[in-house]
Amino acid sequence: MRTLPLNGILNSLSINYNRKNKGVKLYELAKVYIPREVAEEEATIQFKGDELLPDERVQFVLAFNEAGDFFDMKGTVLDFFEEVGMTKRAIFKVSDKPFLHPGRQAEIWYRNECVGYMGELHPEVADNYRIGGRSYVAVIDMPKITKLADFDIKYKG
């Protein structure tokens, strides 16, 4: 059970890069499993049902390789927010994910809640996946988005 959604999409970027398909843009809806924190005093109590099961979450993952830069990914995230009816201003704060390039990453905040993160893939991670060039990823937590989005959108033909 994975706790980060990036492995699948990084494998896809690697395959495309090594087959000379540069400039690809990919997305994935990935399930992740986040361990629930249990206090020490609660650990001795007998739990019933699924209280100890991990939190299963769907995350929307975007990635591209040599198809833009940090600001292109930021624009893609903002376009996604607009399409699902999130019209308030998103804020991007400095992040410290070890698998992203230091100084080229950000947490994505919307209405005082962190809804994801984005940034350039760390060069060591890119080397491990055999991805050349600069690659950018964004991960958006869908359960948080569905609470914040206004899906009452009228489409015109």
Side-chain angles (χ1 to χ4, degrees):
M1 297 193 315
R2 61 185 174 175
T3 57
L4 285 174
L6 295 175
N7 184 51
I9 206 149
L10 293 180
N11 279 327
S12 296
L13 277 179
S14 175
I15 290 168
N16 279 283
Y17 179 81
N18 290 303
R19 292 187 178 159
K20 309 295 185 218
N21 295 327
K22 296 177 184 167
V24 296
K25 297 178 181 181
L26 304 171
Y27 75 93
E28 175 185 9
L29 286 171
K31 283 188 181 178
V32 294
Y33 301 89
I34 310 299
R36 294 184 195 264
E37 293 184 27
V38 180
E40 277 188 42
E41 64 236 18
E42 293 177 1
T44 59
I45 300 171
Q46 183 68 28
F47 288 98
K48 299 176 185 174
D50 64 350
E51 292 180 28
L52 286 179
L53 293 177
D55 185 15
E56 182 179 335
R57 306 185 74 76
V58 175
Q59 295 186 331
F60 182 46
V61 186
L62 302 162
F64 59 75
N65 177 266
E66 299 182 2
D69 60 12
F70 180 87
F71 297 103
D72 292 320
M73 181 59 81
K74 180 179 175 183
T76 302
V77 168
L78 293 175
D79 287 345
F80 170 72
F81 285 178
E82 186 177 325
E83 288 296 320
V84 297
M86 295 170 63
T87 57
K88 302 287 184 209
R89 182 172 176 230
I91 298 171
F92 295 83
K93 297 181 179 180
V94 176
S95 176
D96 63 347
K97 305 281 185 207
F99 49 87
L100 295 177
H101 195 294
R104 298 180 188 163
Q105 58 179 293
E107 290 180 344
I108 306 165
W109 287 74
Y110 187 83
R111 289 189 183 169
N112 297 322
E113 186 171 0
C114 183
V115 296
Y117 57 89
M118 59 166 283
E120 181 181 332
L121 200 59
H122 194 286
E124 289 179 9
V125 175
D127 286 345
N128 287 341
Y129 280 92
R130 295 184 176 96
I131 303 171
R134 291 187 173 180
S135 299
Y136 296 86
V137 295
V139 177
I140 300 169
D141 193 46
M142 291 307 291
K144 291 179 181 177
I145 294 297
T146 54
K147 288 189 312 185
L148 298 169
D150 175 16
F151 292 102
D152 186 28
I153 302 169
K154 306 292 186 241
Y155 291 94
K156 297 177 184 174

